[in-house]
Structures are given as structure tokens and as C-alpha cells.
Amino acid sequence: MQRLFSTFPEGWPGTGLLFLRAVAAIPPLQHAITGLLAQPLPALINLQLLAAGAATLLLVGLWTPVAGVLLAVAELCLTFSHPIDPWRHILLGALGVALAMLGPGAWSVDARLFGRKRIQIPQR
């Protein structure tokens, strides 16, 4: 899994990736919660739940490349099946692809699981 990530940047770039993950994840989660609370359930609830699952993974930074691609595919499907406001779905899909290419950053579960480790060699 480590080969999917080039680096896990810290500092300002890592903070930017954290904000990018949050901006990409919150709207699909809100949309899925709204869809679940609606009566009757919308016809696209399965796609919304797929997007929300991928958004949850992106929010915590777990399996970021896979979650970004899943979010992009779900949003692409929602774009073609929801012709009223396609630009929102296009934007979220583009953010998913960007996160899949950039990686999660230092403040993520991926960095803790798959990041570089420092090995201390004991002195004799």
C-alpha cells in the first residue's frame, strides 16, 4: 500500500490536504444524511451511500487513493442521473480524483499505517 503514496507531507502542504479532504467529504455525507431522512427514500440513495462511504474514508484519510476514485465514480454516476445540478457532482468528483493523486498527507490514518518508519539501531 505504501507505493500508492509518494510522500506524506507535513506543515502547510499537509494542512492543505487535510482541508481538501474535509471539503471533499462533508457535502456527500450531508447529502446522504438528507436522503436517508427524506420520505420516501430517493431512487439514488445507493449511489449517495456509496459516495458517503467513500467520503467517510477520505475524511479520516484511510485508503485515500481508493476512496478518492470511488468518490469520483459515484459522483460521475450522480452527475448523469441527477441533471438538475450536475456541477456540484462534477466538482466533488474532481476533488476525489485530485485526492487520489495527491495522497492523504501527514494527518491521516494512512500516514500512521503506511508512512515511513524510523528504525533505531541500538548501539553495542
Side-chain angles (χ1 to χ4, degrees):
M1 186 76 170
Q2 186 177 9
R3 293 194 175 151
L4 291 176
F5 311 110
S6 57
T7 61
F8 295 97
E10 295 183 46
W12 285 108
T15 305
L17 284 171
L18 177 67
F19 284 134
L20 187 63
R21 287 192 344 247
V23 166
I26 291 171
L29 287 171
Q30 184 267 336
H31 199 235
I33 291 170
T34 304
L36 284 173
L37 296 177
Q39 292 297 328
L41 289 177
L44 304 173
I45 193 66
N46 291 335
L47 283 174
Q48 291 172 353
L49 289 177
L50 176 66
T56 303
L57 290 175
L58 279 178
L59 190 61
V60 297
L62 181 63
W63 301 332
T64 305
V66 175
V69 170
L70 277 176
L71 180 66
V73 168
E75 292 296 334
L76 181 68
C77 292
L78 284 169
T79 298
F80 291 118
S81 59
H82 196 312
I84 296 171
D85 184 25
W87 293 109
R88 178 186 150 199
H89 300 295
I90 292 170
L91 176 65
L92 290 172
L95 285 174
V97 169
L99 282 168
M101 288 189 252
L102 290 173
W107 293 286
S108 65
V109 175
D110 282 337
R112 300 289 179 243
L113 293 176
F114 308 112
R116 305 265 185 226
K117 308 280 190 277
R118 174 174 247 169
I119 300 173
Q120 297 275 343
I121 300 174
Q123 302 248 336
R124 291 187 187 201

